[in-house]
Amino acid sequence: MVRLALRTGLRWKLSAAIALVGALVAIALSLVVHNAARHSMLDNSRDVQIERLNFTQKIFESTNRLQFGAKIDDPALPRPLRDEVAKNKRATYLQDTGQTVPEVWAASPLSNGRVLSMHDRFPDRFAVLDDLDQALVIGSTAVVVGGCALGVLVGGRLSKRLRKAAAAAGKLADGDTAVRIRDEVGSGRVRDETDDLAWAVDAMSDALQERIEAERRVTADIAHELRTPVTGLLTAAELLPPGRPSELVRDRAQALRTLVEDVLEVARLDGHAERAELQDVVLGEFVTRRVRALGPDIVIDVVRDAEVTTDPRRLERILGNLIANAARHGRPPIEVTVEGRVLRVRDHGAGFPEALLREGPSRFRTGSSDRAGRGHGLGLTIAAGQARVLGARLTFRNADELTDGSTGAVSVLWLPENAPTNTGSFPVIQLPDR
């Protein structure tokens, strides 16, 4: 099942949260104020009606005249109020249908057993409640709008700093070790979690760089120390008498020497101290000549030739490693294609393992089981490092990701239009849509 994830900015989430909380608080307070004001008005209306009833009863008992619309034994008198008066009590009753202004009743027993009652709606009093509701609505709307504006303001600043931190982390992941996230995000007068995150990531980056540099130095030192005894071992193996055992010793000694040289080369590339020695090269002719020397059975196709400014030695190293990897782990035929500044090497084997396609080449890891046990995983690592020195881009994919539906591993080298600078910086490569 594929889940659809909605992506939205932090500022809008924060604004929505503040607006929601503001709306809930405003609604709750509005309901409390409305109910309190309504109950107060109703209680006040009951008190006024009782005072008017008392005044009317006094006038009626002295002059036998009714005031304020009072009635004797009103047939419309509500039954609950009639029952209370029957207990010889003076009482009020609120008749509220919810559609009109509540009607306030008041009744009192007379000395002759009759009931004096009066009722009124007090529309002027409850009109104030409508004005209060309107004011509460306006105030609640202002609170919600103000909360949204505050959320956009605060969330926008926080989101901007987090985006800068993410961009700086991306540069750091691409190998720019000079980037400091705390410098990118800046700092305000009040330190918050963004500053803590920036300092923590910078500290982690420094620790990782120190560890990587220490491992690189150890690897380089070990490989350098091994060069002398391995060279002596290889020289001594050449002095052995002819025979199968001597051939095995020379073969293993040569393999060990190649491994030591590869490890040294990886260490130098990891140190970012390598610089390209640039020359103008006709790519099609250069590739044809070098590939013919590596293997006569390799298929060469120059679709479109181009003249590039690059380091021939490093380009030959990349090409040789890609072809060696295809010959060792793939199946023939091996095809080399030159199309402008793009160089492709393809075999017809099982293709690259998923881990390599996902994470890139890794030293001393040869991939899936059908590619295990042969090689040390340094060939593609060296090729990728040399491509970085040339300012080029080396990508890996399987042929079944193309349109022809065939299988095989495809390595693509994108040479830049502009040569790398003397300071070692690399130009941006614009990749065409394919």
Side-chain angles (χ1 to χ4, degrees):
M1 295 180 63
V2 179
R3 285 188 175 183
L4 297 177
L6 296 178
R7 178 182 174 85
T8 182
L10 180 62
R11 68 169 66 184
W12 303 117
K13 292 181 180 179
L14 189 59
S15 300
I18 294 178
L20 179 60
V21 172
L24 293 177
V25 172
I27 291 174
L29 289 178
S30 298
L31 291 176
V32 170
V33 172
H34 174 84
N35 290 331
R38 190 172 187 276
H39 283 92
S40 176
M41 291 180 182
L42 292 176
D43 292 340
N44 183 262
S45 299
R46 290 175 184 267
D47 295 339
V48 170
Q49 198 73 315
I50 284 292
E51 291 179 2
R52 294 172 64 184
L53 180 66
N54 292 336
F55 182 73
T56 300
Q57 185 174 359
K58 291 179 180 180
I59 294 178
F60 176 74
E61 291 176 351
S62 60
T63 64
N64 203 26
R65 289 186 302 172
L66 296 175
Q67 301 289 334
F68 304 114
K71 296 182 180 180
I72 303 296
D73 294 333
D74 189 353
L77 189 67
R79 182 61 179 269
L81 183 58
R82 189 185 300 274
D83 294 339
E84 290 295 322
V85 174
K87 299 177 183 178
N88 200 26
K89 294 181 180 179
R90 182 178 297 157
T92 59
Y93 179 78
L94 181 66
Q95 192 172 21
D96 188 5
T97 61
Q99 298 177 353
T100 59
V101 176
E103 190 171 5
V104 181
W105 287 79
S108 175
L110 297 176
S111 57
N112 55 6
R114 305 178 71 183
V115 177
L116 175 66
S117 65
M118 57 189 308
H119 62 92
D120 202 348
R121 294 185 180 275
F122 299 100
D124 54 337
R125 294 178 177 270
F126 287 94
V128 178
L129 190 61
D130 295 334
D131 295 337
L132 177 63
D133 291 340
Q134 184 178 0
L136 290 175
V137 170
I138 295 175
S140 300
T141 304
V143 169
V144 173
V145 173
C148 289
L150 179 63
V152 170
L153 181 63
V154 176
R157 176 173 172 78
L158 181 60
S159 177
K160 182 178 180 181
R161 299 184 70 194
L162 290 177
R163 285 198 302 269
K164 289 183 177 180
K171 294 179 182 178
L172 189 64
D174 291 337
D176 189 357
T177 57
V179 173
R180 287 294 174 266
I181 296 181
R182 59 178 176 267
D183 296 333
E184 296 292 331
V185 301
S187 59
R189 296 181 179 179
V190 180
R191 183 172 175 176
D192 56 15
E193 289 80 359
T194 308
D195 298 294
D196 297 338
L197 175 63
W199 281 88
V201 174
D202 287 341
M204 180 186 66
S205 173
D206 293 339
L208 288 177
Q209 292 300 324
E210 292 177 359
R211 180 173 179 179
I212 291 173
E213 180 62 22
E215 292 179 353
R216 188 192 67 80
R217 288 197 300 266
V218 169
T219 302
D221 292 342
I222 292 175
H224 182 75
E225 293 298 327
L226 285 176
R227 291 183 76 177
T228 300
V230 168
T231 302
L233 177 63
L234 188 60
T235 303
E238 295 293 337
L239 300 177
L240 294 176
R244 180 60 179 167
S246 300
E247 292 179 1
L248 292 176
V249 172
R250 284 193 291 270
D251 179 69
R252 292 299 88 194
Q254 182 61 44
L256 182 58
R257 180 178 181 179
T258 302
L259 175 60
V260 171
E261 295 294 336
D262 287 346
V263 171
L264 274 174
E265 186 173 359
V266 169
R268 289 194 299 268
L269 292 171
D270 287 345
H272 299 283
E274 296 288 297
R275 295 293 180 266
E277 298 178 1
L278 304 177
Q279 297 180 20
D280 292 334
V281 174
V282 179
L283 190 58
E285 179 184 350
F286 177 86
V287 171
T288 301
R289 186 167 59 251
R290 296 303 191 277
V291 171
R292 290 302 182 205
L294 293 174
D297 297 331
I298 300 176
V299 179
I300 305 173
D301 183 14
V302 181
V303 178
R304 186 176 71 256
D305 208 348
E307 184 176 344
V308 296
T309 302
T310 187
D311 188 330
R313 181 181 64 85
R314 298 184 189 277
L315 181 58
E316 182 177 2
R317 178 67 162 154
I318 296 171
L319 183 61
N321 281 16
L322 295 180
I323 292 177
N325 182 80
R328 182 179 295 115
H329 302 298
R331 288 196 300 268
I334 299 174
E335 301 173 356
V336 179
T337 306
V338 178
E339 186 176 353
R341 297 177 177 274
V342 181
L343 177 64
R344 293 184 180 85
V345 177
R346 173 184 174 181
D347 62 52
H348 289 73
F352 290 116
E354 290 297 327
L356 187 144
L357 297 177
R358 183 175 60 254
E359 304 171 7
S362 178
R363 64 201 66 176
F364 300 107
R365 186 180 66 184
T366 56
S368 58
S369 59
D370 62 324
R371 301 167 75 95
R374 295 181 292 172
H376 302 282
L378 296 178
L380 295 182
T381 302
I382 292 174
Q386 295 289 7
R388 186 173 62 249
V389 175
L390 295 179
R393 179 179 177 183
L394 183 60
T395 61
F396 306 95
R397 63 171 179 262
N398 291 328
D400 54 3
E401 298 179 5
L402 303 178
T403 57
D404 57 2
S406 58
T407 59
V410 181
S411 305
V412 184
L413 179 67
W414 310 80
L415 293 173
E417 295 183 3
N418 300 314
T421 64
N422 293 330
T423 60
S425 62
F426 309 132
V428 177
I429 302 175
Q430 298 294 336
L431 302 182
D433 296 334
R434 301 194 62 81

